[in-house]
Structures are given as C-alpha cells and as structure tokens.
Amino acid sequence: MLYNNKSTHQHADHHCHDSCQNITHNHAHNSLHARNINKNHQSNLGRENHDHIQTQTNDLDPPPDEPDQQSPTVKLTWKIQGMDCAHCAQKIENGIKTLPDINQIKMTFSTGKLMVFVPNNNKEIIKLIEDKVVELGYTPIFESLPHHHEHSHSLDKKALLPLVTLGILIVISYIILLINHDIGKYAFIVTAIIGIIPIAKEAITLTRSGTPFAIETLMSISAIGALFIGAAEEATMVIFLFMIGEMLEGIASNKAKKGISSLVELMPEETVIVVDGNRKTVASHSLKPDDIIEISSGGRLPADVILISEQASIDESALTGESIPVNYLYGDKILAGSLVVDNTIQLKVVSETGQNAVDRILQLIEDAEERKAPIERFIDKFSRYYTPAIALLSLLVMVIPPLLIQTDWYTWIYRGLTLLLIGCPCALVISTPAVITSALSSAAKYGVLIKGGAALEHIGSIKMIAFDKTGTLTEGKPQVTDVINRDITTEHLLTVVAAVESGSHHPLAKAILDYAKQNKIVFTEANNRKAIAGVGIQGDINQETFYVVAPNRLDTLSPQLPQEDAQLIQQLETEGKTVVVVVSHQKLLGIIALQDVLRQDAVSALNQLHQLGLKTLMLTGDNERAAKAIAQQLNIDYRAELLPADKLNEIEKISTTTAIAMVGDGINDSPAMKAATVGIAMGSGTDVALETADAALTKNSLLSLPKLIRLTRFANRNIKQNITIALGIKLIFLITSLFGITGLWLAVLADSGTTAIVTANALRLLKLKK
C-alpha cells in the first residue's frame, strides 16, 4: 500500500514483512487513526514526547522518607523470594528497621525488590540484613547488576508438608476419639501443639522484629487459649483452617507475580555492536550513548535509539498495547523493548544504562505502588488492641477480685479463662477467610480472578472505572468496515487489493486479506510488489500497475480526488477510521476503510455498570478523533493522546477524591493500574498487566465486570455482617461470663457457634445469583 510516513500502511519488498502505519511518532502508541502531518513536525513531536516520558518519570515526587541526597549513602538491593502478600513486605520492613546503621528501607512487593540505604557498603551490614530476612522466613538474593531475570516460583512442596501432616494427625485423632474418648482428647492436644509450634515460632520472631501482634501471634493466643480450657479439637481446627488460608493466599500471590519478569525479558541480554565496520556481540547493559548497534528482524531494541537506517517497521505492542506496527524513518527516535518487524537495521543508542523506556515503566510501577498506602488486613489492625486488651482484662479478672475482696481464687481463675476464650477471635480469624474463599470461588465462575481480601474489599467500594481503549473496549485488531468501488465492481476491487497485499503479515493487510477470503474472492499474488518508502506499496496485475495509498499521499501519483470522494473520505476519517484508496493510471478505483471495532459485549457491559451507579472514563493513547468516535458509541467520558505517564497522572489525580478502578491489557496500563484503588486486567492482556492487577477477567469478557462489582459489594456486606455477629456475640458472652452467668462450656459453645454462624453466612456467596 502507499502511505505517508507513520500514516496508514507500508510494505517492504525483500522479506515480505510489511511496515505500515497511520500513526505519528508523537503518538506512536495510537491505533489506526492519526492523519497526515508534516514529516518534520512529526519528528519534532516524536522527540518532544519521548523527552516527555523521561521528564514525567524524573519529576515524580520522591517518597517522603527518601534519604537526604547530601548525606553519603549506599543503596543495597536484594530480590526477596517467599513473600506471599504485601503484609510480608511490611514484616520485612519492620524487621530491618530494628537493625543499626539503616537510613531508609523501600520494599516493593510487586517486584519483590528490597532496597536499603546505608551509610557505607560493607560485608557486615549486608550479612546483618540478609540474616534478618532469613530469620523472618524469606530468601534474599543480592543484586549487583541493573537487570536480573526473575524466576516465578510455584507453590513450594515443602510448604505443603506441615499442612498435610496436620491434616493426617487430625484424622488419626478423630479415629482415636471415637475409640477412646480420653485418649482421643490427648491425641488432639498433641496434634494442636504440633500445629501451633511453627506458628508460635514465627510469632516470637515477629515480636522480636517489631510486629508483636501479627496474625501469627493472634493465632497462637487463640489456639493456646483453647487448649488451656480443654478445647483441643477447636484449637486444632483453627490452626488447620489458618494454614489452608495462608497456603491459598501464597498460591494466588505466586500467580500474581509471574508477569513482572516479562518487562525485563523485553530487553535482550546481548546485542550486536558495530565499531569501525566490525561487528561484535556485547552485553546489552554495557551499551553507552552514541554506540551503533545492529538489530535483525525479530530482535528487540536493548535501549532507546535513533534510527540511522533509511526506514524500519517497528512493533511496539508490548510497550504500548497498540497492535499496528509503526513505520519509522531516518533520524526518528524509537523506544527500548520494541520489536523490529522487517529488515536488519542500524541504530544509535541515546539512553544511559538504566534510563531506557522499559526501565522507566518499571520505575513507574514501583513508584505507583509506593504511593499507595500499604493495606493491612483488618484482623491485624484489630488484634493490636483487641487481643492484648482481652488478655489484660482476663489477667485482671483472675487476680484483682481475690486480692481485693478475698473471694476464692478458683472462681475468678475460671471466669478469667472463660474471658480468655471469649476474647479469642476465632470466629473473626476463620470467617474472614471463609468470605474471601467463597467470593473467590464465585468470582471464578464469572471468569474473574481476585487477588486477595484487600482487592475484594476495594473493588466493592469503587465509584468510578477507567478503561484503556485498544484491546479492552475494542477488539485490538483492525477490521474492514467500508468498501466503496468506483468504475469497477466490488469483487474486482477486492481482487486487486488482495493481490497487491498477498503475502503480507501486517495487521492492516491481514484484515483486508481476511475480508477478501470471507467474501470468497479468488486472487493470486501481484507481480513486482514493491514498497515506496513513506508512501505505500504497488504491484502489477496483467501488466497494469496498481497502487494502494493513503488519501493524503495521492499527490505523489498526481490524481485529483473528486469533491464527492474527498468529502466521503473526510467523513470516514472523522468516524475514527483508517482509509486507503486504490488507484491505477491516475484513476481512483475504490476506497477501503478499516477500524478497530468495539468488543461485542462493550455496550452491554458499560450500560450495566452505569445502572450500578458507577461513573466510567476511557483513557487512551489514541488520537482525539478516534477516541471521540468510540466514546460516543459507549456513552463514556474520555481522555485521549495519553502516554503511560499521563495515564498514571490522570488516575492519581482522580484517586485523591474518588475510589477508582483501572481496566487495561497492556504494559503501558500497568503504572496506572498500580496507582488506581484497584487494577483490573483483561485476560488477553500482557503478563505484566495481569501481574500488576488486583483482579483479572480471565474469560476476557467485559460482562464479567458488572458481575464482579455485584459480587464484591455483596462480599463486603457479608464481611461487615460477620464482624458484627462475631463481636456482638463475643460482647454478650463477655459480660455474662464476667458476672458468672455463663461458664466455660457455654463459652466454648458460643465461640464455636459464632464460628459456625459466620461461616454459614460466608457460604451464601457460593449461591449468589446474577
């Protein structure tokens, strides 16, 4: 096809890998719809926006506790393995804070990266930090280079051993209990002790490391309290359910963290460098500005570069989410991580080590997470006050009455122990995971993966949803929408275009070829298929030359468009469509329009979200005209021509006043998804988008979204009900136990009964209908 520079669509002839685009460089991530802009103006815009990415990133506000840049500090970095949740990251931070000579700590859960700022770099400090991390139950891997490939870890089989062992012991204890009740009681006591030992050890370690009332401490007190009053069976089951909950959370987190490495993997480890005409392979991280590199077709760019070959077709979909390759010319800037589509090309490096486009997106993800206040589980917050307060009250009840009013010790010790059991938040510990597990199960039926209880709570509270356009609200690939023939039949027009496009692998060309095949058009590849740099493609059929060209490049062939056709093309472009024209002998033969069409479920899903009272917003890198066309079809507000940093800024601005979810599918959406109250990824999206999200639509259907909102709102109500039930019954029995109205056996019944009630309430989520 004939196309302008970064306009519509162009093909290279040697390797049949086509390069074409209808996109200006300053909006290189736009889809099909940018139009004719002067080449010099395009290049300048490209430079401005490339620099804009850098400026946006560098101007991000530093964290409030950033160390004083004037004081001498050394940054030490580790990769931490074994973390299951953001709570683990908080434990590590609290633990390292207790060490000497620590200026500042930054622990990022999504990337598993620990950064510690210390006065000087010596082996003693490194060993102290690593020993503390190991003591807390995690594995530190010291990093010395800017990029390390991460390795995803599935559930550790060793982690299953305590759970399986405890399960077997519970079954054995029940069998013994059925045979001999007294011996069975002792069997349960032994089982409970075996189960509580590892949890109690971790609770002690956490207490020494600055987290005295973590959930491990809560569990230890609950189980020991139950043992103390003879409720060994309950103690055992509480431990067992707790261990199951921790294991499930670990599985979800491991799946959630698989994708971040794909960002690093966009960067090739080795690159061919050209020095005085000689080629040699070097490590990519050793590249410096002004180095000349050579990348073959199918290779990725290791740095931000300037093209010094005549032209290149570049696939930026991994970085921008936009499906159509961009055609670049000599002197244009191209971002790291992009894929070379056609010929071997030479480029000049312009970015410093650690400062390319991929590095900046990684930094955006980390910064977005850092600005987001760490979410602590309700049970941990509550236990900081509830558990120690009840333990203190229990002790006072045991001691003060006998000392002050000389009553018998047994009565008040008995009441104190009863209070201790009432104070054990077993129902809370069990019921919250029960709600989450039930909600996750129901969500899976709807085609949604929710990553943890915090995400569940936040999704249910959102008031606005922001959407990426390409691949989220639209199909993410162009389709032929209009075929207008002039002086020849539609079949003849399609035959000509298909023959010229035959053999191409470009998205626009493939869309036209697919359309021709759907209409059962028979064609053979044109002869002398040839690309014209920055213009389009031509081919010969029966010794007649045909051109496929963007309307704004017709001046290179001299034909004048009739006024009627010029108005028709303008109307199609106003609708956000990409238009190509077919000419021969300076005569117009036909017009073909293509567009990235809406998903079939987009309109219905958006309507349901509006009915649920949610505001909606579309954030896109696409041009204003294309964005407006889509927004009008969906009745949605929009912001167009946004870079990844711009999307992040929009989300941050909104999230200060409104709970907002961001739905996306590309790497460029990841920073915004992290900064939003909730990030939701499309199942067809990149691994990084899925990783950074709090939830993923695994069936790749937008109709799952309103179902998810209904489910999470119901779950939030359920959790509040459970908390009210658990604490309400506890309060009633706490008062009755204090006055001796209820004894140990009723306290056990109340505790178990409350647990049963809240668990049954949680199971209602499994039966939730549409």
Side-chain angles (χ1 to χ4, degrees):
M1 289 190 173
L2 297 178
Y3 315 91
N4 66 328
N5 173 36
K6 303 180 197 114
S7 243
T8 319
H9 179 174
Q10 176 181 5
H11 301 269
D13 57 334
H14 317 327
H15 301 294
C16 259
H17 284 298
D18 309 56
S19 58
C20 59
Q21 192 55 328
N22 166 25
I23 300 172
T24 61
H25 184 199
N26 87 309
H27 299 130
H29 54 303
N30 293 1
S31 86
L32 311 173
H33 318 289
R35 290 296 177 268
N36 51 333
I37 294 178
N38 176 272
K39 174 185 170 183
N40 292 331
H41 181 51
Q42 288 173 333
S43 297
N44 289 337
L45 282 173
R47 294 186 187 95
E48 287 167 11
N49 280 314
H50 179 276
D51 295 340
H52 177 60
I53 298 177
Q54 182 73 56
T55 304
Q56 287 285 347
T57 306
N58 290 345
D59 289 348
L60 289 171
D61 296 333
D65 56 350
E66 188 74 29
D68 185 355
Q69 298 301 323
Q70 295 179 349
S71 61
T73 60
V74 176
K75 183 174 81 170
L76 303 176
T77 306
W78 285 267
K79 180 67 64 182
I80 305 298
Q81 295 180 351
M83 290 195 302
D84 290 336
C85 58
H87 184 61
C88 299
Q90 189 64 48
K91 291 175 185 175
I92 293 171
E93 279 196 15
N94 289 343
I96 294 175
K97 281 177 186 174
T98 63
L99 300 177
D101 297 327
I102 302 296
N103 290 354
Q104 188 226 349
I105 305 159
K106 179 182 173 185
M107 179 76 236
T108 306
F109 171 64
S110 65
T111 56
K113 187 181 289 184
L114 168 66
M115 285 179 279
V116 183
F117 295 86
V118 296
N120 52 70
N121 185 1
N122 63 64
K123 292 182 179 178
E124 290 182 8
I125 289 180
I126 292 174
K127 187 174 187 305
L128 271 176
I129 293 169
E130 291 186 345
D131 287 348
K132 175 57 70 174
V133 173
V134 171
E135 181 186 349
L136 291 168
Y138 308 100
T139 305
I141 299 174
F142 192 72
E143 291 194 336
S144 55
L145 293 175
H147 290 299
H148 277 264
H149 285 270
E150 299 185 29
H151 300 279
S152 297
H153 293 272
S154 57
L155 183 64
D156 188 350
K157 291 181 181 177
K158 291 182 180 178
L160 279 173
L161 187 59
L163 180 64
V164 173
T165 302
L166 187 63
I168 293 170
L169 289 175
I170 288 173
V171 172
I172 293 171
S173 299
Y174 266 117
I175 293 171
I176 295 173
L177 188 70
L178 293 173
I179 298 170
N180 187 308
H181 192 269
D182 291 337
I183 297 176
K185 279 188 175 181
Y186 286 110
F188 266 109
I189 290 171
V190 172
T191 300
I193 291 172
I194 291 172
I196 201 63
I197 285 174
I199 299 173
K201 279 184 178 179
E202 189 170 353
I204 293 168
T205 301
L206 290 170
T207 301
R208 291 168 54 195
S209 301
T211 312
F213 287 103
I215 198 163
E216 288 79 10
T217 307
L218 198 63
M219 279 304 308
S220 299
I221 293 175
S222 298
I224 292 169
L227 276 177
F228 200 32
I229 60 166
E233 296 95 326
E234 184 180 48
T236 307
M237 289 308 298
V238 168
I239 296 165
F240 187 63
L241 289 170
F242 170 75
M243 291 171 75
I244 289 176
E246 292 290 294
M247 181 195 72
L248 292 175
E249 186 174 0
I251 292 171
S253 295
N254 281 330
K255 286 182 180 177
K257 291 173 69 179
K258 282 180 181 177
I260 271 291
S261 59
S262 66
L263 269 177
V264 178
E265 287 163 4
L266 288 178
M267 308 299 292
E269 294 187 353
E270 295 181 332
T271 304
V272 174
I273 188 171
V274 181
V275 182
D276 298 327
N278 297 317
R279 292 163 177 77
K280 64 175 181 178
T281 302
V282 299
S284 295
H285 65 78
S286 68
L287 293 174
K288 304 181 298 296
D290 297 329
D291 282 346
I292 305 300
I293 60 174
E294 188 172 87
I295 308 293
S296 300
S297 175
R300 289 197 180 272
L301 304 185
D304 294 347
V305 294
I306 289 177
L307 181 64
I308 58 176
S309 295
E310 182 184 353
Q311 69 174 48
S313 184
I314 304 294
D315 179 357
E316 300 178 323
S317 59
L319 279 171
T320 68
E322 304 299 335
S323 55
I324 299 177
V326 184
N327 186 54
Y328 286 99
L329 299 182
Y330 176 86
D332 287 335
K333 285 186 177 179
I334 313 175
L335 302 181
S338 301
L339 182 75
V340 177
V341 174
D342 49 11
N343 306 329
T344 297
I345 57 174
Q346 290 194 351
L347 313 107
K348 183 170 74 173
V349 175
V350 294
S351 61
E352 299 281 350
T353 300
Q355 292 295 319
N356 62 54
V358 173
D359 293 317
R360 292 195 294 274
I361 291 178
L362 271 170
Q363 189 61 46
L364 283 174
I365 292 173
E366 289 188 7
D367 287 347
E369 177 165 306
E370 186 173 83
R371 290 179 193 148
K372 198 177 191 177
I375 301 163
E376 296 183 80
R377 287 180 283 186
F378 167 81
I379 203 70
D380 276 346
K381 286 183 176 179
F382 188 77
S383 70
R384 291 180 188 174
Y385 306 99
Y386 180 79
T387 305
I390 293 296
L392 178 61
L393 179 62
S394 177
L395 180 64
L396 293 176
V397 166
M398 290 180 191
V399 174
I400 289 179
L403 290 178
L404 290 184
I405 56 177
Q406 282 80 42
T407 57
D408 66 291
W409 285 87
Y410 177 82
T411 299
W412 289 101
I413 288 174
Y414 184 90
R415 291 182 182 180
L417 289 176
T418 307
L419 275 181
L420 186 63
L421 180 63
I422 293 297
C424 284
C426 301
L428 284 174
V429 172
I430 291 171
S431 68
T432 304
V435 172
I436 293 168
T437 303
S438 299
L440 294 181
S441 177
S442 286
K445 297 174 186 175
Y446 296 150
V448 181
L449 170 66
I450 305 174
K451 299 175 183 176
L456 185 78
E457 182 178 352
H458 285 307
I459 294 170
S461 66
I462 59 174
K463 305 298 181 187
M464 177 184 283
I465 301 181
F467 294 88
D468 172 49
K469 182 183 78 71
T470 305
T472 302
L473 293 173
T474 66
E475 292 288 353
K477 56 185 179 182
Q479 294 182 21
V480 174
T481 57
D482 303 87
V483 178
I484 299 103
N485 55 305
R486 294 286 182 263
D487 297 333
I488 61 173
T489 65
T490 301
E491 289 77 13
H492 189 189
L493 175 64
L494 289 172
T495 302
V496 168
V497 179
V500 175
E501 295 287 10
S502 182
S504 172
H505 297 287
H506 190 279
L508 287 179
K510 288 172 79 173
I512 292 172
L513 290 168
D514 287 345
Y515 185 81
K517 289 172 184 174
Q518 287 167 14
N519 286 273
K520 299 185 173 144
I521 301 297
V522 178
F523 60 90
T524 55
E525 185 172 334
N527 297 319
N528 302 320
R529 287 179 67 250
K530 186 167 63 175
I532 306 171
V535 179
I537 192 168
Q538 67 183 59
D540 296 341
I541 303 172
N542 296 329
Q543 299 179 344
E544 183 179 354
T545 302
F546 294 88
Y547 301 86
V548 186
V549 59
N552 58 299
R553 302 305 294 174
L554 274 174
D555 56 350
T556 62
L557 303 174
S558 299
Q560 294 294 318
L561 277 176
Q563 184 67 24
E564 177 188 349
D565 289 328
Q567 289 175 351
L568 175 59
I569 288 170
Q570 186 176 7
Q571 179 186 340
L572 290 169
E573 290 183 338
T574 302
E575 293 170 4
K577 297 176 181 177
T578 295
V579 179
V580 296
V581 294
V582 186
V583 295
S584 178
H585 296 304
Q586 300 188 5
K587 183 178 180 182
L588 178 67
L589 301 179
I591 300 167
I592 297 178
L594 304 95
Q595 188 175 38
D596 183 10
V597 297
L598 280 176
R599 286 173 176 266
Q600 292 183 348
D601 55 6
V603 174
S604 174
L606 267 291
N607 287 340
Q608 289 185 47
L609 292 173
H610 293 153
Q611 289 169 11
L612 288 169
L614 290 165
K615 297 178 182 177
T616 53
L617 171 69
M618 180 175 73
L619 302 178
T620 178
D622 220 331
N623 62 67
E624 178 77 17
R625 185 165 50 194
K628 184 177 181 181
I630 294 293
Q632 287 177 340
Q633 294 179 64
L634 292 172
N635 188 28
I636 186 175
D637 194 11
Y638 71 95
R639 309 279 188 276
E641 303 182 0
L642 302 179
L643 294 165
D646 299 328
K647 289 186 180 182
L648 173 64
N649 292 337
E650 283 288 337
I651 291 293
E652 287 185 330
K653 191 162 57 178
I654 295 169
S655 63
T656 57
T657 57
T658 305
I660 183 169
M662 174 69 191
V663 184
D665 74 323
I667 290 177
N668 63 314
D669 303 320
S670 298
M673 287 165 66
K674 266 294 178 188
T677 313
V678 174
I680 301 173
M682 299 299 293
S684 63
T686 62
D687 287 341
V688 171
L690 294 171
E691 184 283 329
T692 55
D694 299 292
L697 308 182
T698 56
K699 288 183 180 177
N700 198 27
S701 170
L702 286 173
L703 290 173
S704 298
L705 202 51
K707 294 176 183 177
L708 172 64
I709 300 300
R710 293 188 192 98
L711 174 71
T712 53
R713 287 179 177 179
F714 184 83
N716 280 355
R717 290 196 300 271
N718 196 286
I719 288 173
K720 290 174 184 175
Q721 290 165 1
N722 279 355
I723 291 170
T724 303
I725 292 169
L727 295 184
I729 293 177
K730 295 286 186 188
L731 180 62
I732 291 169
F733 276 86
L734 188 147
I735 294 170
T736 57
S737 298
L738 187 61
F739 288 98
I741 299 170
T742 53
L744 278 176
W745 67 271
L746 202 51
V748 174
L749 184 61
D751 193 61
S752 302
T754 306
T755 302
I757 291 169
V758 295
T759 302
N761 190 40
L763 293 177
R764 290 168 57 214
L765 281 155
L766 294 174
K767 299 179 180 179
L768 181 64
K769 302 296 181 186
K770 179 178 177 182

